[in-house]
Amino acid sequence: MEFTEWIRGRTDEQLRALVSARPELITPVPAHLEGLAVRAGSPSAIGRALDRLDRFTLAVLETLAVLETPAVVETSTDLETPAAVEPRATARAQADKPDVRPKSVTKAALRALVGGALAAGKPEPALSAAIDHLRDLALVYGPDSALALAPGVRKVLDDPAGLGPPAVEAFRHHAPEQLAEMADDIAPGTTGSGKERLAAALARPGKLIEEVSPEARAALDQLTWGPATGRVPNARREVRVASARSPIDQLLARGLLAATGEESVALPREVGLYLRNGLVHRDLYAVPPALEGAARDQKLADRTAAGQAFTFVRTVEELCERWSAEPPGVLRTGGLGVRDLKRTATELDVPEWAAALTVEVAHAAGLIAAGGNVDGEWLPTTGYDLWRVRPTADRWAALAITWLHTDRVPGLVGERDDRDRPLNALHTELRRSSAPGVRSAALGVLASAPGLAPTRESVFDRLAWEQPRRRGPLREQLTEFALREAEQVGVTGLGVLSGHGRALLSGEDTASVLAPLLPEPVDHVLLQADLTAVAPGPLTSELNRWMTLAADIESKGGATVYRFGEGSVRRALDAGQGAEELLAMLERHSATPVPQALSYLIADVARRHGRIRVGTASAYIRCDDPALLDQITADRRAAALRLRRLAPTVIASRSSRAALVDALRAMGYAPVAESLDGDVIISELDRRRTEGLPPARSVPSPNGLDAEVTAAAVRALRAGDAAHLTRREPADAPSGQIPRGPATATISALQEAIRQGVRVWIGYLDSQGNATSRILEPARMEGGYLTAYDETRAAVHRFALHRITGVSDLS
C-alpha cells in the first residue's frame, strides 16, 4: 500500500490526531491529502516529529529502519524469543546465516529484537503502544504484518541506533578494481561484482574478525555501540590482507572498516550488528526512569506556592511603582544596565537573578516598556494600570501564562554572548526558541509525580528519556532555569507542582484554583511610637501603594515593617497629599491611635514644605522669607549651584530646575518645583507611563492545536482531496489544458452557474501569472470579483474576473 493511499484511508479522528500532534503539517493547510502526505515526508517535518519521541518509541522506529535493510534480516527471523538472543555464541551463529530479505517487517520481528535489548521486563504492551503512536504520527504505516517506514524517515534517521551505513553504501565511493581486490582477498572463489562479493562476505564477518589482532579487535569494540565513525590519517590508502601490519590496515584490508573520506572511516552496519550479537540496542527500558526525591504534603505545597505567587505579584507591582518614580535608562545597545539591575534587586530585596526574572516577566506581559525622553527610559505602560486593578489571582495568572510561553530566558542575564559581551536584562539576545517547550516539559515531569519534589538529576534523566534527540548542555541549563523560576513565580511550592501550576500547564482556569489559597488582604496597619507601622498581613493594593509612597519599607516577611521619615513624608506631599489628608488616611487605616511623634513629624515637614519654590530661568529660587534665602546663599554647599540674588525674594541659578530641587533637598530644605505660571508641580506617579503595547499572548492547547482548528483543517483536506480526485476535464477541452475562452462567454457562464447553483471548472491566473484550475460553486459577482466556494481549498474566496481564463461545466 502506498503511503498516500494509507493517509487517505485514515479516519477523520485519526487525521485530527495527526495534525494536532504535528501542527506543522497544516501550517498552512495543504490543498489535499496528497499534499499532506508529501509534507509529512519532508525532512524538517520528520525531524520535528522525531524530536517528540521518547527513547523507547525512537528505539522501535530505529529497529524498524534497520530491519528494512538486508543487514539485519538474517537475525530477525531467528530472534523470536529472548532465549534465542541471550547466548552470545548463538546470536553470532545466527548473524552468519545467509542474507534473505523479507518482503515486509512484521511486528513479531520487532518484538524479538526489541525484547532482546530490554534491560528488564517484557516488550509488551509498550511495543504495541509505541507502534500505534508511530502510526498516529504517520512515521510508520501499514498493518502489524507489514510495517513500513513512512517516506523520508530513513533518510532523516541517517545512522539509526549509532550503526554505520550498510556495506553497499559504505563502499560506494571505492573504485571497482579496489573492491574486486578486497573481495579476492576475503572471499576467494566467489562470483559476481566486487561490491556484491564484498557485501556477501561482510554479511558473515565472524571469520574475518577472528583473523585480526587483539589491537584491531579493540578498535572495533570502540565503534560497536556508536558512534560508528572515526578519523585516521590517509584512510583511502590501498591495503591488501597480505601486507596489512597495523591494526587499522588489518581492518581496512578486510572491509571491516570502510574509508568514507580522506581521513574518515565507518564501521559497516553488518559488522556492527555482528559485534552487537544481532541486537540494535542495549540496556533499553520500555518505561521512563522513576523519579527520586522527597515526599511532600500536597496541601502544604499548594499553600506555599500560593504564598509565593502572591509575593511575586506584589514584587512586580512594586517594580512598576518604583520605575514610575525613578525610571532607569535604556542602554544604547538595548536592555537594562548592570547597575540599574543591582539597584532594582536591592530595592525589591531579592537576588539579582530573581530581579531579572521579575523585570523580564513584567516586560513580556506588557507591563513595562521603553519610552520617555530621547535617550529612553523603562517605564510602566498604560496596560499596567489595567492589570493593577484586577484581582490578585487574575494578575498572577497573566504573569504565569506569560512566563510559561515567553521565549526569553531571564536566567541568561549576566552571562556573555559569542562575542564575549555581557547579556543584560531586557536585551534582545535573551531569546531562545526552545525555552517554552523546555518549561512545559519540566513542569510535565513534576506533574507526573504529585506530592514529590524530585531531584534535579532525576528530572534530567526523565527528560532525556522523554526526548532523547533534544539532549544537550543548553537544554539542561534551560531546565535548571525553569525549575528555579517556577519556584520563584509560585508555580511550584517546596519543589512540588501546585494545583494552580497543574491548571496552568493543562490550560485550565488557573485563577479559580489559586484564589481560595491566597491570603486575605488586610486594610489596616499597626502604628508604633518609633515612627514605624507594622502590616499584620498582605495589605490591599491601594493601601499598599499608599504606604509605599508615604513610608519606606524597612523589612519584609510575615509582617511588613514601614518607617516614616522626613523624606518619605515629603514624597507624599510632593505627590499632592496634604498634612490633614495624611493624618486622616492614617487614622482611617490604623488599628492603633496615631502616635504624637508621627503627627508632629508630618506637621513639621508640611510646614516647611513648599516655602521655597524652584522654577525655570535656567532655574530660580523664590521664597517669601528673605532670611531663608540669606541662609541658602551663605551656605558653602550652595557654591556649586552658582546662585545669584536678583531680588530679596528671588535667586537665579544656572543649574536645571530638577538639579536645583535635588541639591536643596540634599542640603536639608523642602523646596517644590513650580511651573511658569507659578503653580506647584505635583509629582503624579500615574502620569509616568509609556504607550508600549502588550504582546499578543495566545495560549496553545496542551494537546497541540485547538480542536476546532484541527477539525476545520481535516474538513478542508477532505473536501480538497475529493475535488482533487474527482476533477475531470470536459470533452471539448484539450487534454491537460485548463479552460480558456472569451471574456464575454466567461461572464455569461458564471452568471448562469450562479442562477442554477451548479459547480464549474475555471482556469485562473495567480498573482505570479501561473495558470491554475479550480472547482468552484459561484455565489455572486460584483465589482469585478467573483465570490465562490472553492472546493479545492474548502473555503469561500474572491476571484478577480480579469484573471479567470475560461469556464467549463462539470456535468
Side-chain angles (χ1 to χ4, degrees):
M1 177 187 296
E2 292 185 0
F3 181 66
T4 302
E5 293 302 320
W6 180 81
I7 287 287
R8 284 198 177 101
R10 305 293 279 174
T11 64
D12 286 355
E13 182 179 357
Q14 291 170 333
L15 287 178
R16 287 194 294 269
L18 169 61
V19 298
S20 178
R22 300 177 64 180
E24 62 274 4
L25 298 184
I26 55 171
T27 311
V29 179
H32 38 66
L33 290 176
E34 183 177 339
L36 179 70
V38 172
R39 189 175 296 176
S42 64
S44 60
I46 292 175
R48 291 184 180 183
L50 294 181
D51 288 343
R52 302 183 182 110
L53 299 181
D54 60 58
R55 179 170 293 171
F56 180 75
T57 306
L58 181 61
V60 172
L61 188 68
E62 290 177 331
T63 303
L64 178 59
V66 174
L67 277 171
E68 281 197 339
T69 63
V72 76
V73 170
E74 69 275 3
T75 66
S76 63
T77 56
D78 293 317
L79 298 181
E80 294 290 336
T81 62
V85 178
E86 294 173 359
R88 180 180 296 266
T90 303
R92 285 187 177 165
Q94 293 164 347
D96 281 334
K97 291 184 178 181
D99 173 33
V100 180
R101 178 170 181 169
K103 295 181 180 180
S104 58
V105 177
T106 64
K107 183 178 179 180
L110 274 177
R111 185 184 300 111
L113 286 182
V114 172
L118 288 176
K122 297 181 179 180
E124 294 293 358
L127 177 62
S128 297
I131 294 175
D132 291 340
H133 183 51
L134 291 172
R135 283 199 193 99
D136 292 340
L137 295 177
L139 296 174
V140 170
Y141 70 102
D144 290 347
S145 58
L147 296 170
L149 291 179
V153 174
R154 184 181 295 103
K155 183 178 181 180
V156 176
L157 284 174
D158 195 14
D159 297 332
L163 288 167
V168 175
E169 297 181 16
F171 291 99
R172 68 181 183 275
H173 295 305
H174 287 61
E177 297 79 8
Q178 185 180 0
L179 294 178
E181 291 177 353
M182 294 176 64
D184 291 340
D185 286 346
I186 65 176
T190 57
T191 59
S193 66
K195 181 182 293 187
E196 294 173 349
R197 295 162 60 200
L198 180 61
L202 292 179
R204 298 176 292 275
K207 183 178 180 181
L208 297 175
I209 294 175
E210 292 175 358
E211 294 176 356
V212 301
S213 64
E215 293 80 5
R217 177 57 191 269
L220 289 177
D221 291 339
Q222 291 181 354
L223 301 176
T224 297
W225 289 102
T229 58
R231 298 183 64 86
V232 298
N234 193 16
R236 287 195 177 277
R237 59 186 180 273
E238 295 186 10
V239 184
R240 302 297 295 270
V241 172
S243 60
R245 295 292 180 267
S246 69
I248 299 300
D249 286 347
Q250 296 176 33
L251 299 175
L252 289 172
R254 290 170 174 80
L256 298 176
L257 282 182
T260 56
E262 294 296 334
E263 294 185 352
S264 59
V265 295
L267 184 70
R269 183 171 299 179
E270 294 87 341
V271 180
L273 286 169
Y274 176 85
L275 295 172
R276 295 184 182 190
N277 297 332
L279 298 179
V280 180
H281 299 87
R282 63 175 175 177
D283 299 332
L284 187 63
Y285 289 89
V287 295
L291 293 174
E292 299 178 356
R296 308 286 190 191
D297 180 69
Q298 184 64 51
K299 293 184 178 180
L300 176 61
D302 290 344
R303 292 195 299 270
T304 303
Q308 183 57 39
F310 183 88
T311 301
F312 186 72
V313 170
R314 283 298 170 88
T315 303
V316 172
E317 184 177 357
E318 183 180 353
L319 169 76
C320 295
E321 293 295 333
R322 289 185 179 277
W323 282 16
S324 177
E326 299 181 30
V330 179
L331 294 178
R332 184 171 54 184
T333 57
L336 180 70
V338 175
R339 292 182 179 178
D340 290 325
L341 180 62
K342 291 181 179 293
R343 177 174 62 86
T344 300
T346 302
E347 292 175 345
L348 298 180
D349 193 24
V350 295
E352 284 189 33
W353 70 264
L357 172 65
T358 304
V359 169
E360 286 288 344
V361 172
H363 177 258
L367 304 183
I368 58 175
N373 54 32
V374 177
D375 294 331
E377 295 175 325
W378 292 108
L379 288 166
T381 65
T382 52
Y384 163 68
D385 296 310
L386 299 176
W387 173 84
R388 182 169 56 86
V389 298
R390 297 169 61 187
T392 302
D394 292 336
R395 289 191 286 166
W396 181 85
L399 297 176
I401 291 172
T402 299
W403 167 78
L404 183 62
H405 299 293
T406 181
D407 61 352
R408 299 185 61 81
V409 184
L412 295 176
V413 173
E415 298 190 3
R416 309 190 79 84
D417 62 10
D418 297 338
R419 300 181 181 179
D420 199 35
R421 297 176 302 185
L423 293 173
N424 299 87
L426 302 178
H427 197 278
T428 56
E429 296 297 324
L430 292 181
R431 297 185 182 279
R432 299 293 185 273
S433 59
S434 59
V438 172
R439 293 192 192 101
S440 297
L443 295 183
V445 171
L446 301 183
S448 65
L452 181 69
T455 62
R456 187 189 66 171
E457 291 75 16
S458 64
V459 173
F460 288 165
D461 291 342
R462 173 66 69 86
L463 289 176
W465 188 89
E466 290 182 349
Q467 296 175 333
R469 283 171 54 93
R470 292 183 176 177
R471 296 182 62 181
L474 176 61
R475 184 173 179 81
E476 291 189 358
Q477 185 183 41
L478 293 180
T479 302
E480 287 189 14
F481 292 157
L483 296 175
R484 182 178 68 176
E485 293 169 2
E487 196 78 14
Q488 184 69 19
V489 173
V491 176
T492 61
L494 304 176
V496 177
L497 184 66
S498 62
H500 50 276
R502 194 178 300 275
L504 171 70
L505 186 62
S506 60
E508 300 174 5
D509 184 6
T510 307
S512 62
V513 180
L514 174 63
L517 301 174
L518 291 174
E520 192 69 27
V522 297
D523 61 352
H524 65 275
V525 294
L526 305 176
L527 295 177
Q528 309 292 320
D530 60 350
L531 300 181
T532 62
V534 179
L539 299 177
T540 60
S541 181
E542 287 302 321
L543 180 57
N544 176 71
R545 194 162 181 256
W546 187 89
M547 288 296 297
T548 304
L549 174 67
D552 297 321
I553 297 178
E554 191 169 78
S555 65
K556 296 180 179 180
T560 303
V561 178
Y562 299 87
R563 177 168 294 278
F564 294 92
E566 184 175 331
S568 66
V569 173
R570 185 177 63 237
R571 187 169 63 234
L573 295 174
D574 288 342
Q577 300 280 331
E580 294 182 357
E581 292 178 274
L582 290 176
L583 291 173
M585 187 73 173
L586 290 173
E587 290 175 354
R588 186 163 59 251
H589 292 285
S590 175
T592 58
V594 179
Q596 190 177 43
L598 180 57
S599 300
Y600 285 166
L601 173 66
I602 294 175
D604 181 61
V605 174
R607 178 180 55 82
R608 294 183 287 113
H609 183 264
R611 294 180 62 191
I612 298 176
R613 304 291 184 91
V614 178
T616 303
S618 292
Y620 64 82
I621 303 174
R622 183 172 65 86
C623 181
D624 295 335
D625 186 359
L628 187 55
L629 294 186
D630 292 339
Q631 181 180 346
I632 293 175
T633 56
D635 196 322
R636 293 181 179 179
R637 294 174 294 176
L641 300 177
R642 304 177 70 177
L643 302 177
R644 181 182 176 185
R645 193 76 169 259
L646 299 181
T649 58
V650 180
I651 296 176
S653 172
R654 294 187 180 182
S655 301
S656 66
R657 181 173 61 192
L660 193 53
V661 169
D662 292 339
L664 291 175
R665 287 177 175 173
M667 294 165 61
Y669 300 98
V672 295
E674 70 175 13
S675 65
L676 295 175
D677 298 329
D679 298 326
V680 175
I681 299 177
I682 297 175
S683 302
E684 296 187 49
L685 300 183
D686 290 348
R687 297 284 179 88
R688 302 298 303 273
R689 296 291 184 264
T690 185
E691 294 297 328
L693 296 177
R697 296 188 297 272
S698 59
V699 182
S701 169
N703 298 321
L705 294 174
D706 185 83
E708 294 182 0
V709 175
T710 58
V714 170
R715 287 196 301 269
L717 285 168
R718 289 292 191 193
D721 198 58
H724 179 68
L725 293 177
T726 59
R727 183 194 311 170
R728 59 186 183 273
E729 300 171 357
D732 58 347
S735 177
Q737 295 185 5
I738 64 174
R740 295 185 182 275
T744 54
T746 297
I747 298 298
S748 299
L750 291 174
Q751 291 174 339
E752 183 66 18
I754 294 173
R755 189 181 65 82
Q756 295 183 5
V758 297
R759 297 183 304 160
V760 293
W761 181 37
I762 72 168
Y764 194 72
L765 299 177
D766 61 18
S767 57
Q768 285 76 35
N770 299 319
T772 62
S773 61
R774 312 285 182 90
I775 296 179
L776 307 179
E777 185 176 331
R780 65 178 180 273
M781 189 166 47
E782 59 185 4
Y785 286 89
L786 169 69
T787 302
Y789 178 77
D790 186 351
E791 292 192 358
T792 309
R793 289 164 175 76
V796 176
H797 287 285
R798 298 180 70 202
F799 300 89
L801 291 177
H802 67 275
R803 290 185 176 178
I804 300 178
T805 62
V807 179
S808 293
D809 295 333
L810 286 174
S811 56

